[in-house]
Amino acid sequence: SAAMAHGHGPGHGPCCCCGAAEGGGGAAWGLYLRIDRQRLQCLNERREGSGALVFRSWEQRGDRAQFVESDDDEELLFNVPFTGNVKLKAVMVLGGEGGTHPAELRLFKNVPHMSFDDVAREPEQTFALSRDLTGELEYPTKIARFSNVYHLSMHFPKNFGAETTKIFYIGLKGEWTEARRHEVTICSYEASANPADHKLEQITPQTHFIS
């Protein structure tokens, strides 16, 4: 029967619904759709543009073909601008085998264009990371500190001892809301060319995404 063809019992490997840590499954990790990819930066990436590949759907977190590797040393720094305001609830990091897996993550809020010169400042939150190759570990944020984020910087200062750091997937869990007008002026650098422009309220949020 058709019913038998679809259900091979609960133990037939990962599907899109089982294995999620809590309700919503992959949908809870949908903030990657709200990243402004034109302005996403990864500093010290060995291959240009590879840092952007690690922000993808929760269902694709196990894709080992897409990853970023650090270049000069083990540090990586991501600047992640959003298309609105985000309440960040948790992060997930899948790293490389052995010593290449990042060992620490420092999160900074609303500091656009961070560079390695800026990482000496106090982060909003620091996580000691465990090795996670399959996407089982969630790191909950202090939500009160991450309730109004339009730009997230993620600094990975060290790994478990290898020359370089490898990251295969970064998951961001939370809620997104449209930017209100005054926040648009803060985080839209395009608008700064004409600060007297009062047409900002006509900016419509991005509603379609290029996958």
Side-chain angles (χ1 to χ4, degrees):
S1 74
M4 287 298 293
H6 289 295
H8 303 292
H12 63 89
C15 64
C16 56
C17 50
C18 36
E22 58 168 275
W29 296 93
L31 284 183
Y32 73 98
L33 292 169
R34 307 299 189 175
I35 293 171
D36 180 349
R37 296 208 171 242
Q38 306 319 138
R39 300 213 313 266
L40 174 66
Q41 285 182 316
C42 179
L43 306 187
N44 199 35
E45 58 184 4
R46 178 168 292 187
R47 199 171 75 251
E48 192 176 342
S50 56
L53 302 176
V54 305
F55 296 95
R56 56 182 186 268
S57 75
W58 189 84
E59 288 82 6
Q60 293 178 301
R61 68 195 183 285
D63 178 0
R64 308 293 280 181
Q66 303 189 73
F67 63 90
V68 61
E69 185 173 3
S70 62
D71 191 16
D72 293 331
D73 53 29
E74 72 275 25
E75 284 189 87
L76 282 168
L77 175 62
F78 293 86
N79 281 310
V80 186
F82 295 105
T83 58
N85 287 310
V86 163
K87 179 188 286 183
L88 184 67
K89 295 180 175 179
V91 295
M92 181 183 285
V93 179
L94 274 65
E97 308 277 348
T100 64
H101 196 294
E104 187 177 293
L105 166 60
R106 304 165 75 236
L107 294 182
F108 299 86
K109 177 181 109 172
N110 300 346
V111 191
H113 306 302
M114 268 190 82
S115 72
F116 287 110
D117 295 335
D118 303 318
V119 298
R121 67 168 69 201
E122 188 69 27
E124 241 70 50
Q125 193 167 354
T126 301
F127 300 94
L129 302 178
S130 300
R131 288 187 179 91
D132 186 7
L133 305 178
T134 53
E136 291 167 26
L137 300 177
E138 255 182 60
Y139 298 93
T141 60
K142 297 171 182 167
I143 294 180
R145 295 188 185 182
F146 294 97
S147 61
N148 193 10
V149 181
Y150 60 83
H151 185 284
L152 181 70
S153 297
M154 311 182 77
H155 178 220
F156 295 90
K158 58 188 179 185
N159 59 23
F160 285 98
E163 297 276 310
T164 59
T165 296
K166 267 190 186 179
I167 296 174
F168 286 86
Y169 170 81
I170 295 176
L172 302 173
K173 175 187 275 192
E175 297 166 10
W176 176 88
T177 50
E178 285 177 32
R180 288 183 296 281
R181 182 184 166 186
H182 68 283
E183 281 140 358
V184 170
T185 51
I186 292 166
C187 60
S188 170
Y189 304 107
E190 295 78 15
S192 60
N194 183 5
D197 186 355
H198 295 295
K199 300 198 193 81
L200 281 174
E201 59 267 65
Q202 292 171 16
I203 291 178
T204 51
Q206 199 176 348
T207 50
H208 56 90
F209 304 100
I210 300 153
S211 56

